[in-house]
Amino acid sequence: RQVEESKPSVAQPLKGPTVASYYRRWIAEQKPLVRKSLHRKYVSHMDVHIVPILGSRLLSELRNADIRG
C-alpha cells in the first residue's frame, strides 16, 4: 500500500459577492429610489450592526442561524 502524500490546501477563489460588497452595490441603487431619511437609516443600521459582523461572509454561505443569532 502506498501512502498518499497530502496535497497543500489551496485557497478557493470567492464564489459570489460578500455581504459587504452586495450591500455597497444595493445601497447605491436604493439611494435615488428612497427618501433621504430612509437611506440614512439603511446606512446606519448596516454599517453599525450588519457589516462589522457579516460583511466578509459570502452571501451564498449565509444561513438562517447567522441572521437570527
Side-chain angles (χ1 to χ4, degrees):
R1 241 184 208 184
Q2 281 186 327
V3 176
E4 284 187 36
E5 290 183 34
S6 63
K7 296 178 184 176
S9 63
V10 177
Q12 296 294 319
L14 293 179
K15 295 181 180 179
T18 62
V19 171
S21 64
Y22 182 84
Y23 159 66
R24 284 190 301 269
R25 188 172 59 239
W26 177 83
I27 200 67
E29 293 170 357
Q30 295 306 303
K31 191 171 186 174
L33 303 176
V34 299
R35 292 183 322 270
K36 288 180 184 181
S37 61
L38 182 56
H39 183 265
R40 281 193 302 268
K41 285 181 184 179
Y42 284 161
V43 170
S44 175
H45 288 293
M46 290 296 293
D47 288 349
V48 171
H49 301 289
I50 307 298
V51 174
I53 296 168
L54 298 173
S56 62
R57 297 280 305 270
L58 293 175
L59 280 179
S60 61
E61 293 180 350
L62 281 181
R63 302 292 174 253
N64 288 341
D66 297 325
I67 307 301
R68 293 182 185 164

Short mmCIF file of all heavy atoms in Angstrom, two decimals:
data_model
loop_
_atom_site.label_atom_id
_atom_site.label_comp_id
_atom_site.label_asym_id
_atom_site.label_seq_id
_atom_site.Cartn_x
_atom_site.Cartn_y
_atom_site.Cartn_z
N ARG A 1 0.82 -1.20 0.00
CA ARG A 1 0.00 0.00 0.00
C ARG A 1 0.85 1.25 0.00
O ARG A 1 1.77 1.36 0.79
CB ARG A 1 -0.81 0.03 1.28
CG ARG A 1 -2.24 0.01 1.10
CD ARG A 1 -2.88 0.14 2.46
NE ARG A 1 -4.16 -0.50 2.40
CZ ARG A 1 -5.02 -0.52 3.35
NH1 ARG A 1 -4.73 0.02 4.50
NH2 ARG A 1 -6.17 -1.10 3.21
N GLN A 2 0.48 2.17 -0.84
CA GLN A 2 1.20 3.43 -0.85
C GLN A 2 0.42 4.45 -0.03
O GLN A 2 -0.80 4.49 -0.07
CB GLN A 2 1.34 3.96 -2.27
CG GLN A 2 2.44 3.31 -3.04
CD GLN A 2 2.60 4.01 -4.39
OE1 GLN A 2 1.64 4.49 -4.95
NE2 GLN A 2 3.83 4.04 -4.87
N VAL A 3 1.14 5.24 0.67
CA VAL A 3 0.51 6.32 1.44
C VAL A 3 0.51 7.55 0.55
O VAL A 3 1.53 7.95 0.02
CB VAL A 3 1.30 6.61 2.74
CG1 VAL A 3 0.70 7.78 3.47
CG2 VAL A 3 1.37 5.36 3.59
N GLU A 4 -0.68 8.10 0.37
CA GLU A 4 -0.80 9.30 -0.46
C GLU A 4 -0.20 10.48 0.27
O GLU A 4 -0.39 10.65 1.47
CB GLU A 4 -2.26 9.61 -0.77
CG GLU A 4 -2.85 8.72 -1.82
CD GLU A 4 -4.22 9.18 -2.21
OE1 GLU A 4 -4.44 10.42 -2.25
OE2 GLU A 4 -5.07 8.32 -2.46
N GLU A 5 0.56 11.25 -0.47
CA GLU A 5 1.09 12.48 0.11
C GLU A 5 -0.03 13.48 0.22
O GLU A 5 -0.85 13.61 -0.68
CB GLU A 5 2.20 13.04 -0.77
CG GLU A 5 3.45 12.21 -0.76
CD GLU A 5 4.53 12.85 -1.59
OE1 GLU A 5 4.61 14.09 -1.62
OE2 GLU A 5 5.29 12.09 -2.21
N SER A 6 -0.07 14.18 1.31
CA SER A 6 -1.12 15.19 1.45
C SER A 6 -0.76 16.38 0.57
O SER A 6 0.38 16.83 0.53
CB SER A 6 -1.30 15.62 2.90
OG SER A 6 -0.11 16.22 3.35
N LYS A 7 -1.74 16.84 -0.14
CA LYS A 7 -1.55 17.98 -1.03
C LYS A 7 -1.81 19.25 -0.23
O LYS A 7 -2.73 19.29 0.59
CB LYS A 7 -2.53 17.91 -2.20
CG LYS A 7 -2.28 16.72 -3.08
CD LYS A 7 -3.30 16.67 -4.20
CE LYS A 7 -3.09 15.40 -5.01
NZ LYS A 7 -4.09 15.25 -6.05
N PRO A 8 -0.98 20.26 -0.45
CA PRO A 8 -1.24 21.52 0.28
C PRO A 8 -2.58 22.10 -0.13
O PRO A 8 -2.96 22.03 -1.29
CB PRO A 8 -0.09 22.43 -0.15
CG PRO A 8 0.47 21.82 -1.38
CD PRO A 8 0.12 20.36 -1.36
N SER A 9 -3.28 22.60 0.86
CA SER A 9 -4.59 23.18 0.54
C SER A 9 -4.39 24.52 -0.15
O SER A 9 -3.53 25.31 0.21
CB SER A 9 -5.44 23.35 1.79
OG SER A 9 -4.81 24.24 2.66
N VAL A 10 -5.18 24.73 -1.17
CA VAL A 10 -5.12 25.97 -1.93
C VAL A 10 -6.41 26.72 -1.67
O VAL A 10 -7.50 26.15 -1.75
CB VAL A 10 -4.97 25.68 -3.44
CG1 VAL A 10 -5.00 26.97 -4.24
CG2 VAL A 10 -3.70 24.90 -3.69
N ALA A 11 -6.29 27.97 -1.33
CA ALA A 11 -7.49 28.77 -1.06
C ALA A 11 -8.34 28.84 -2.31
O ALA A 11 -7.85 29.10 -3.40
CB ALA A 11 -7.10 30.17 -0.61
N GLN A 12 -9.61 28.57 -2.14
CA GLN A 12 -10.54 28.64 -3.25
C GLN A 12 -10.91 30.10 -3.50
O GLN A 12 -11.05 30.87 -2.56
CB GLN A 12 -11.82 27.84 -2.92
CG GLN A 12 -11.59 26.37 -2.75
CD GLN A 12 -11.16 25.70 -4.04
OE1 GLN A 12 -11.68 26.01 -5.10
NE2 GLN A 12 -10.18 24.82 -3.96
N PRO A 13 -11.07 30.46 -4.76
CA PRO A 13 -11.48 31.84 -5.04
C PRO A 13 -12.90 32.08 -4.51
O PRO A 13 -13.69 31.16 -4.39
CB PRO A 13 -11.45 31.93 -6.57
CG PRO A 13 -11.50 30.52 -7.04
CD PRO A 13 -10.92 29.66 -5.96
N LEU A 14 -13.18 33.32 -4.19
CA LEU A 14 -14.51 33.67 -3.71
C LEU A 14 -15.54 33.33 -4.77
O LEU A 14 -15.33 33.55 -5.95
CB LEU A 14 -14.59 35.17 -3.40
CG LEU A 14 -13.77 35.66 -2.22
CD1 LEU A 14 -13.94 37.16 -2.06
CD2 LEU A 14 -14.14 34.95 -0.95
N LYS A 15 -16.64 32.80 -4.32
CA LYS A 15 -17.73 32.46 -5.23
C LYS A 15 -18.92 33.35 -4.91
O LYS A 15 -19.68 33.09 -4.00
CB LYS A 15 -18.12 30.99 -5.09
CG LYS A 15 -17.00 30.06 -5.50
CD LYS A 15 -17.39 28.62 -5.37
CE LYS A 15 -16.24 27.75 -5.80
NZ LYS A 15 -16.55 26.34 -5.68
N GLY A 16 -19.03 34.42 -5.66
CA GLY A 16 -20.13 35.35 -5.44
C GLY A 16 -19.74 36.47 -4.52
O GLY A 16 -18.65 36.51 -3.97
N PRO A 17 -20.67 37.39 -4.34
CA PRO A 17 -20.37 38.59 -3.55
C PRO A 17 -20.40 38.31 -2.04
O PRO A 17 -21.08 37.41 -1.57
CB PRO A 17 -21.48 39.55 -3.94
CG PRO A 17 -22.62 38.66 -4.30
CD PRO A 17 -21.99 37.44 -4.94
N THR A 18 -19.65 39.13 -1.33
CA THR A 18 -19.75 39.10 0.13
C THR A 18 -20.94 39.97 0.53
O THR A 18 -21.48 40.72 -0.28
CB THR A 18 -18.48 39.69 0.79
OG1 THR A 18 -18.36 41.05 0.39
CG2 THR A 18 -17.24 38.89 0.43
N VAL A 19 -21.31 39.88 1.78
CA VAL A 19 -22.40 40.72 2.29
C VAL A 19 -22.05 42.19 2.08
O VAL A 19 -22.87 42.97 1.61
CB VAL A 19 -22.67 40.42 3.78
CG1 VAL A 19 -23.63 41.43 4.38
CG2 VAL A 19 -23.21 39.00 3.95
N ALA A 20 -20.82 42.57 2.39
CA ALA A 20 -20.42 43.98 2.28
C ALA A 20 -20.43 44.46 0.83
O ALA A 20 -20.91 45.56 0.55
CB ALA A 20 -19.03 44.18 2.88
N SER A 21 -19.91 43.65 -0.10
CA SER A 21 -19.88 44.11 -1.49
C SER A 21 -21.28 44.19 -2.08
O SER A 21 -21.60 45.12 -2.83
CB SER A 21 -18.97 43.23 -2.35
OG SER A 21 -19.46 41.92 -2.43
N TYR A 22 -22.13 43.23 -1.71
CA TYR A 22 -23.51 43.28 -2.18
C TYR A 22 -24.21 44.51 -1.61
O TYR A 22 -24.92 45.22 -2.31
CB TYR A 22 -24.27 42.02 -1.80
CG TYR A 22 -25.69 42.02 -2.31
CD1 TYR A 22 -25.98 41.61 -3.59
CD2 TYR A 22 -26.74 42.46 -1.51
CE1 TYR A 22 -27.28 41.62 -4.08
CE2 TYR A 22 -28.04 42.49 -1.98
CZ TYR A 22 -28.30 42.07 -3.26
OH TYR A 22 -29.58 42.10 -3.74
N TYR A 23 -24.01 44.76 -0.32
CA TYR A 23 -24.63 45.92 0.34
C TYR A 23 -24.22 47.22 -0.34
O TYR A 23 -25.06 48.09 -0.60
CB TYR A 23 -24.26 45.93 1.82
CG TYR A 23 -24.40 47.28 2.47
CD1 TYR A 23 -25.65 47.87 2.60
CD2 TYR A 23 -23.29 47.97 2.93
CE1 TYR A 23 -25.79 49.13 3.18
CE2 TYR A 23 -23.42 49.22 3.51
CZ TYR A 23 -24.67 49.79 3.63
OH TYR A 23 -24.79 51.03 4.20
N ARG A 24 -22.93 47.39 -0.62
CA ARG A 24 -22.47 48.64 -1.25
C ARG A 24 -23.17 48.86 -2.59
O ARG A 24 -23.58 49.97 -2.92
CB ARG A 24 -20.95 48.62 -1.42
CG ARG A 24 -20.21 48.88 -0.13
CD ARG A 24 -18.73 49.10 -0.35
NE ARG A 24 -18.08 47.98 -1.00
CZ ARG A 24 -17.51 46.96 -0.36
NH1 ARG A 24 -17.52 46.93 0.95
NH2 ARG A 24 -16.93 45.99 -1.02
N ARG A 25 -23.30 47.80 -3.37
CA ARG A 25 -23.96 47.93 -4.67
C ARG A 25 -25.45 48.21 -4.47
O ARG A 25 -26.03 49.09 -5.11
CB ARG A 25 -23.76 46.64 -5.48
CG ARG A 25 -24.24 46.74 -6.90
CD ARG A 25 -23.86 45.53 -7.74
NE ARG A 25 -24.38 44.29 -7.19
CZ ARG A 25 -23.63 43.26 -6.83
NH1 ARG A 25 -22.33 43.29 -6.96
NH2 ARG A 25 -24.19 42.16 -6.35
N TRP A 26 -26.08 47.49 -3.55
CA TRP A 26 -27.51 47.64 -3.30
C TRP A 26 -27.84 49.04 -2.79
O TRP A 26 -28.79 49.67 -3.25
CB TRP A 26 -27.97 46.57 -2.31
CG TRP A 26 -29.41 46.70 -1.95
CD1 TRP A 26 -30.47 46.22 -2.65
CD2 TRP A 26 -29.95 47.35 -0.79
NE1 TRP A 26 -31.64 46.53 -1.99
CE2 TRP A 26 -31.35 47.23 -0.85
CE3 TRP A 26 -29.37 48.00 0.29
CZ2 TRP A 26 -32.18 47.75 0.13
CZ3 TRP A 26 -30.20 48.52 1.27
CH2 TRP A 26 -31.59 48.39 1.17
N ILE A 27 -27.05 49.53 -1.82
CA ILE A 27 -27.37 50.84 -1.23
C ILE A 27 -27.21 51.95 -2.27
O ILE A 27 -27.97 52.92 -2.27
CB ILE A 27 -26.54 51.11 0.05
CG1 ILE A 27 -27.21 52.21 0.90
CG2 ILE A 27 -25.11 51.47 -0.24
CD1 ILE A 27 -28.52 51.85 1.50
N ALA A 28 -26.26 51.80 -3.17
CA ALA A 28 -26.09 52.80 -4.25
C ALA A 28 -27.31 52.81 -5.17
O ALA A 28 -27.74 53.87 -5.62
CB ALA A 28 -24.83 52.51 -5.04
N GLU A 29 -27.88 51.64 -5.41
CA GLU A 29 -29.07 51.55 -6.26
C GLU A 29 -30.30 52.11 -5.55
O GLU A 29 -31.20 52.65 -6.19
CB GLU A 29 -29.34 50.09 -6.65
CG GLU A 29 -28.29 49.51 -7.57
CD GLU A 29 -28.44 48.02 -7.76
OE1 GLU A 29 -29.33 47.39 -7.12
OE2 GLU A 29 -27.66 47.45 -8.54
N GLN A 30 -30.35 51.98 -4.23
CA GLN A 30 -31.51 52.44 -3.47
C GLN A 30 -31.55 53.95 -3.27
O GLN A 30 -32.63 54.52 -3.15
CB GLN A 30 -31.53 51.76 -2.08
CG GLN A 30 -31.73 50.28 -2.13
CD GLN A 30 -32.96 49.89 -2.90
OE1 GLN A 30 -34.06 50.33 -2.59
NE2 GLN A 30 -32.79 49.08 -3.92
N LYS A 31 -30.39 54.58 -3.24
CA LYS A 31 -30.32 56.00 -2.90
C LYS A 31 -31.29 56.87 -3.70
O LYS A 31 -32.01 57.68 -3.12
CB LYS A 31 -28.90 56.51 -3.03
CG LYS A 31 -28.72 57.90 -2.45
CD LYS A 31 -27.28 58.30 -2.38
CE LYS A 31 -27.16 59.64 -1.66
NZ LYS A 31 -25.78 60.01 -1.42
N PRO A 32 -31.35 56.73 -5.03
CA PRO A 32 -32.29 57.59 -5.76
C PRO A 32 -33.75 57.14 -5.65
O PRO A 32 -34.65 57.86 -6.07
CB PRO A 32 -31.81 57.49 -7.21
CG PRO A 32 -31.09 56.20 -7.29
CD PRO A 32 -30.51 55.96 -5.94
N LEU A 33 -33.99 55.99 -5.05
CA LEU A 33 -35.34 55.43 -5.02
C LEU A 33 -36.09 55.65 -3.71
O LEU A 33 -37.31 55.49 -3.65
CB LEU A 33 -35.30 53.92 -5.30
CG LEU A 33 -34.63 53.51 -6.62
CD1 LEU A 33 -34.57 51.99 -6.71
CD2 LEU A 33 -35.37 54.10 -7.80
N VAL A 34 -35.35 55.97 -2.64
CA VAL A 34 -35.99 56.09 -1.33
C VAL A 34 -35.76 57.48 -0.75
O VAL A 34 -34.87 58.22 -1.19
CB VAL A 34 -35.46 55.02 -0.34
CG1 VAL A 34 -35.77 53.62 -0.84
CG2 VAL A 34 -33.97 55.19 -0.09
N ARG A 35 -36.55 57.82 0.26
CA ARG A 35 -36.38 59.11 0.93
C ARG A 35 -34.98 59.17 1.57
O ARG A 35 -34.41 58.16 1.96
CB ARG A 35 -37.42 59.27 2.04
CG ARG A 35 -38.84 59.41 1.53
CD ARG A 35 -39.83 59.65 2.68
NE ARG A 35 -39.56 58.92 3.90
CZ ARG A 35 -40.04 57.70 4.17
NH1 ARG A 35 -40.81 57.08 3.31
NH2 ARG A 35 -39.75 57.11 5.30
N LYS A 36 -34.46 60.38 1.69
CA LYS A 36 -33.13 60.57 2.28
C LYS A 36 -33.06 59.99 3.69
O LYS A 36 -32.06 59.39 4.08
CB LYS A 36 -32.74 62.05 2.29
CG LYS A 36 -32.42 62.59 0.93
CD LYS A 36 -32.03 64.06 1.01
CE LYS A 36 -31.79 64.61 -0.38
NZ LYS A 36 -31.40 66.02 -0.36
N SER A 37 -34.12 60.21 4.45
CA SER A 37 -34.12 59.72 5.84
C SER A 37 -34.07 58.19 5.89
O SER A 37 -33.39 57.61 6.74
CB SER A 37 -35.34 60.23 6.59
OG SER A 37 -36.54 59.77 5.99
N LEU A 38 -34.76 57.54 4.98
CA LEU A 38 -34.74 56.08 4.94
C LEU A 38 -33.36 55.58 4.51
O LEU A 38 -32.83 54.63 5.08
CB LEU A 38 -35.82 55.54 4.01
CG LEU A 38 -35.92 54.02 3.91
CD1 LEU A 38 -36.14 53.40 5.28
CD2 LEU A 38 -37.04 53.65 2.96
N HIS A 39 -32.77 56.25 3.54
CA HIS A 39 -31.43 55.88 3.10
C HIS A 39 -30.44 55.99 4.26
O HIS A 39 -29.61 55.10 4.48
CB HIS A 39 -31.00 56.77 1.93
CG HIS A 39 -29.66 56.41 1.38
ND1 HIS A 39 -28.52 57.04 1.78
CD2 HIS A 39 -29.31 55.47 0.48
CE1 HIS A 39 -27.50 56.51 1.15
NE2 HIS A 39 -27.95 55.55 0.34
N ARG A 40 -30.53 57.07 5.04
CA ARG A 40 -29.64 57.24 6.19
C ARG A 40 -29.85 56.12 7.20
O ARG A 40 -28.88 55.62 7.79
CB ARG A 40 -29.89 58.60 6.85
CG ARG A 40 -29.24 59.75 6.13
CD ARG A 40 -29.24 61.03 6.97
NE ARG A 40 -30.58 61.44 7.36
CZ ARG A 40 -31.35 62.28 6.66
NH1 ARG A 40 -30.92 62.80 5.54
NH2 ARG A 40 -32.55 62.62 7.09
N LYS A 41 -31.10 55.71 7.43
CA LYS A 41 -31.37 54.61 8.36
C LYS A 41 -30.77 53.31 7.86
O LYS A 41 -30.17 52.55 8.63
CB LYS A 41 -32.87 54.44 8.57
CG LYS A 41 -33.48 55.49 9.44
CD LYS A 41 -34.97 55.25 9.64
CE LYS A 41 -35.59 56.37 10.44
NZ LYS A 41 -37.03 56.18 10.63
N TYR A 42 -30.94 53.03 6.57
CA TYR A 42 -30.33 51.83 5.99
C TYR A 42 -28.83 51.82 6.23
O TYR A 42 -28.25 50.84 6.70
CB TYR A 42 -30.57 51.76 4.48
CG TYR A 42 -31.93 51.37 4.00
CD1 TYR A 42 -32.32 51.66 2.70
CD2 TYR A 42 -32.84 50.69 4.81
CE1 TYR A 42 -33.57 51.30 2.22
CE2 TYR A 42 -34.09 50.34 4.35
CZ TYR A 42 -34.44 50.64 3.04
OH TYR A 42 -35.68 50.28 2.56
N VAL A 43 -28.17 52.94 5.90
CA VAL A 43 -26.72 53.03 6.04
C VAL A 43 -26.31 52.86 7.50
O VAL A 43 -25.39 52.10 7.82
CB VAL A 43 -26.20 54.37 5.46
CG1 VAL A 43 -24.74 54.58 5.82
CG2 VAL A 43 -26.40 54.40 3.95
N SER A 44 -27.00 53.54 8.39
CA SER A 44 -26.68 53.46 9.81
C SER A 44 -26.80 52.03 10.34
O SER A 44 -25.88 51.51 10.97
CB SER A 44 -27.59 54.39 10.59
OG SER A 44 -27.37 54.25 11.97
N HIS A 45 -27.92 51.40 10.07
CA HIS A 45 -28.14 50.03 10.58
C HIS A 45 -27.14 49.05 10.00
O HIS A 45 -26.57 48.23 10.73
CB HIS A 45 -29.56 49.57 10.28
CG HIS A 45 -30.60 50.25 11.11
ND1 HIS A 45 -30.73 50.07 12.46
CD2 HIS A 45 -31.57 51.13 10.76
CE1 HIS A 45 -31.72 50.80 12.92
NE2 HIS A 45 -32.25 51.46 11.91
N MET A 46 -26.92 49.14 8.71
CA MET A 46 -25.99 48.21 8.06
C MET A 46 -24.55 48.43 8.54
O MET A 46 -23.86 47.47 8.86
CB MET A 46 -26.06 48.35 6.55
CG MET A 46 -27.34 47.85 5.93
SD MET A 46 -27.60 46.07 6.12
CE MET A 46 -26.29 45.42 5.11
N ASP A 47 -24.12 49.70 8.61
CA ASP A 47 -22.74 49.99 9.00
C ASP A 47 -22.45 49.67 10.45
O ASP A 47 -21.32 49.34 10.81
CB ASP A 47 -22.40 51.45 8.71
CG ASP A 47 -22.26 51.74 7.22
OD1 ASP A 47 -22.22 50.79 6.42
OD2 ASP A 47 -22.20 52.93 6.86
N VAL A 48 -23.46 49.77 11.30
CA VAL A 48 -23.26 49.53 12.73
C VAL A 48 -23.49 48.07 13.11
O VAL A 48 -22.72 47.49 13.88
CB VAL A 48 -24.17 50.45 13.57
CG1 VAL A 48 -24.14 50.07 15.04
CG2 VAL A 48 -23.77 51.90 13.38
N HIS A 49 -24.53 47.45 12.56
CA HIS A 49 -24.95 46.14 13.03
C HIS A 49 -24.61 44.97 12.11
O HIS A 49 -24.33 43.88 12.60
CB HIS A 49 -26.47 46.13 13.26
CG HIS A 49 -26.92 47.14 14.26
ND1 HIS A 49 -26.67 47.03 15.61
CD2 HIS A 49 -27.57 48.31 14.10
CE1 HIS A 49 -27.17 48.07 16.24
NE2 HIS A 49 -27.73 48.88 15.34
N ILE A 50 -24.65 45.15 10.83
CA ILE A 50 -24.54 44.03 9.91
C ILE A 50 -23.14 43.87 9.32
O ILE A 50 -22.52 42.81 9.44
CB ILE A 50 -25.57 44.14 8.76
CG1 ILE A 50 -26.98 44.32 9.31
CG2 ILE A 50 -25.47 42.94 7.82
CD1 ILE A 50 -27.49 43.20 10.17
N VAL A 51 -22.64 44.91 8.70
CA VAL A 51 -21.35 44.82 8.00
C VAL A 51 -20.20 44.44 8.93
O VAL A 51 -19.38 43.59 8.57
CB VAL A 51 -21.06 46.10 7.19
CG1 VAL A 51 -19.68 46.06 6.58
CG2 VAL A 51 -22.12 46.27 6.10
N PRO A 52 -20.10 44.99 10.14
CA PRO A 52 -18.98 44.59 11.01
C PRO A 52 -18.97 43.09 11.35
O PRO A 52 -17.92 42.50 11.54
CB PRO A 52 -19.17 45.43 12.27
CG PRO A 52 -19.96 46.60 11.83
CD PRO A 52 -20.87 46.08 10.75
N ILE A 53 -20.13 42.49 11.41
CA ILE A 53 -20.22 41.09 11.81
C ILE A 53 -20.26 40.14 10.61
O ILE A 53 -19.58 39.12 10.61
CB ILE A 53 -21.46 40.88 12.70
CG1 ILE A 53 -21.31 41.68 13.99
CG2 ILE A 53 -21.69 39.40 13.01
CD1 ILE A 53 -22.55 41.80 14.81
N LEU A 54 -21.04 40.48 9.62
CA LEU A 54 -21.25 39.57 8.49
C LEU A 54 -20.65 40.05 7.18
O LEU A 54 -20.74 39.35 6.16
CB LEU A 54 -22.75 39.34 8.29
CG LEU A 54 -23.49 38.70 9.44
CD1 LEU A 54 -24.99 38.69 9.16
CD2 LEU A 54 -22.99 37.29 9.69
N GLY A 55 -20.04 41.22 7.16
CA GLY A 55 -19.57 41.82 5.92
C GLY A 55 -18.65 40.96 5.08
O GLY A 55 -18.70 40.98 3.87
N SER A 56 -17.80 40.18 5.71
CA SER A 56 -16.83 39.38 4.96
C SER A 56 -17.38 38.03 4.51
O SER A 56 -16.73 37.32 3.76
CB SER A 56 -15.56 39.16 5.78
OG SER A 56 -15.87 38.44 6.96
N ARG A 57 -18.56 37.69 4.97
CA ARG A 57 -19.18 36.40 4.60
C ARG A 57 -19.73 36.45 3.19
O ARG A 57 -20.25 37.47 2.74
CB ARG A 57 -20.34 36.06 5.54
CG ARG A 57 -19.96 35.87 6.99
CD ARG A 57 -19.38 34.51 7.27
NE ARG A 57 -20.21 33.41 6.87
CZ ARG A 57 -21.14 32.82 7.62
NH1 ARG A 57 -21.36 33.25 8.84
NH2 ARG A 57 -21.83 31.81 7.15
N LEU A 58 -19.63 35.34 2.50
CA LEU A 58 -20.24 35.23 1.18
C LEU A 58 -21.75 35.14 1.35
O LEU A 58 -22.23 34.45 2.26
CB LEU A 58 -19.74 33.98 0.46
CG LEU A 58 -18.28 33.96 0.07
CD1 LEU A 58 -17.92 32.60 -0.52
CD2 LEU A 58 -17.97 35.06 -0.92
N LEU A 59 -22.48 35.81 0.50
CA LEU A 59 -23.94 35.72 0.56
C LEU A 59 -24.39 34.27 0.42
O LEU A 59 -25.32 33.84 1.09
CB LEU A 59 -24.58 36.54 -0.56
CG LEU A 59 -24.68 38.03 -0.35
CD1 LEU A 59 -25.30 38.69 -1.56
CD2 LEU A 59 -25.48 38.37 0.89
N SER A 60 -23.73 33.53 -0.43
CA SER A 60 -24.11 32.14 -0.68
C SER A 60 -23.90 31.25 0.54
O SER A 60 -24.46 30.15 0.61
CB SER A 60 -23.33 31.58 -1.87
OG SER A 60 -21.94 31.59 -1.60
N GLU A 61 -23.13 31.72 1.52
CA GLU A 61 -22.87 30.91 2.71
C GLU A 61 -23.70 31.34 3.92
O GLU A 61 -23.61 30.73 4.97
CB GLU A 61 -21.38 30.98 3.07
CG GLU A 61 -20.51 30.31 2.05
CD GLU A 61 -19.03 30.38 2.40
OE1 GLU A 61 -18.68 31.11 3.34
OE2 GLU A 61 -18.25 29.72 1.71
N LEU A 62 -24.48 32.40 3.78
CA LEU A 62 -25.32 32.84 4.91
C LEU A 62 -26.42 31.82 5.19
O LEU A 62 -27.00 31.25 4.26
CB LEU A 62 -25.98 34.18 4.61
CG LEU A 62 -25.13 35.42 4.76
CD1 LEU A 62 -25.95 36.65 4.45
CD2 LEU A 62 -24.54 35.52 6.15
N ARG A 63 -26.68 31.61 6.44
CA ARG A 63 -27.74 30.69 6.87
C ARG A 63 -28.66 31.42 7.83
O ARG A 63 -28.31 32.46 8.40
CB ARG A 63 -27.13 29.46 7.57
CG ARG A 63 -26.15 28.68 6.70
CD ARG A 63 -26.88 28.01 5.54
NE ARG A 63 -25.97 27.37 4.62
CZ ARG A 63 -25.68 27.81 3.41
NH1 ARG A 63 -26.21 28.93 2.97
NH2 ARG A 63 -24.85 27.17 2.63
N ASN A 64 -29.83 30.87 8.04
CA ASN A 64 -30.80 31.49 8.95
C ASN A 64 -30.18 31.76 10.32
O ASN A 64 -30.43 32.80 10.93
CB ASN A 64 -32.04 30.61 9.11
CG ASN A 64 -32.89 30.62 7.88
OD1 ASN A 64 -32.80 31.50 7.05
ND2 ASN A 64 -33.74 29.62 7.74
N ALA A 65 -29.40 30.83 10.81
CA ALA A 65 -28.79 30.99 12.15
C ALA A 65 -27.86 32.19 12.20
O ALA A 65 -27.71 32.81 13.25
CB ALA A 65 -28.04 29.72 12.53
N ASP A 66 -27.24 32.54 11.08
CA ASP A 66 -26.36 33.71 11.06
C ASP A 66 -27.17 34.99 11.26
O ASP A 66 -26.69 35.93 11.89
CB ASP A 66 -25.64 33.83 9.70
CG ASP A 66 -24.74 32.65 9.42
OD1 ASP A 66 -24.13 32.13 10.37
OD2 ASP A 66 -24.65 32.26 8.25
N ILE A 67 -28.36 35.01 10.75
CA ILE A 67 -29.21 36.20 10.82
C ILE A 67 -29.92 36.29 12.16
O ILE A 67 -29.99 37.35 12.77
CB ILE A 67 -30.25 36.22 9.67
CG1 ILE A 67 -29.57 36.03 8.33
CG2 ILE A 67 -31.09 37.47 9.71
CD1 ILE A 67 -28.53 37.05 7.98
N ARG A 68 -30.41 35.19 12.61
CA ARG A 68 -31.19 35.18 13.87
C ARG A 68 -30.31 35.25 15.09
O ARG A 68 -30.76 35.60 16.16
CB ARG A 68 -32.06 33.92 13.91
CG ARG A 68 -33.13 33.96 12.86
CD ARG A 68 -34.00 32.76 12.92
NE ARG A 68 -34.92 32.80 11.81
CZ ARG A 68 -35.60 31.77 11.40
NH1 ARG A 68 -35.49 30.62 12.01
NH2 ARG A 68 -36.43 31.88 10.37
N GLY A 69 -29.04 34.89 14.95
CA GLY A 69 -28.07 34.97 16.04
C GLY A 69 -28.41 34.04 17.15
O GLY A 69 -28.12 34.04 18.22
#
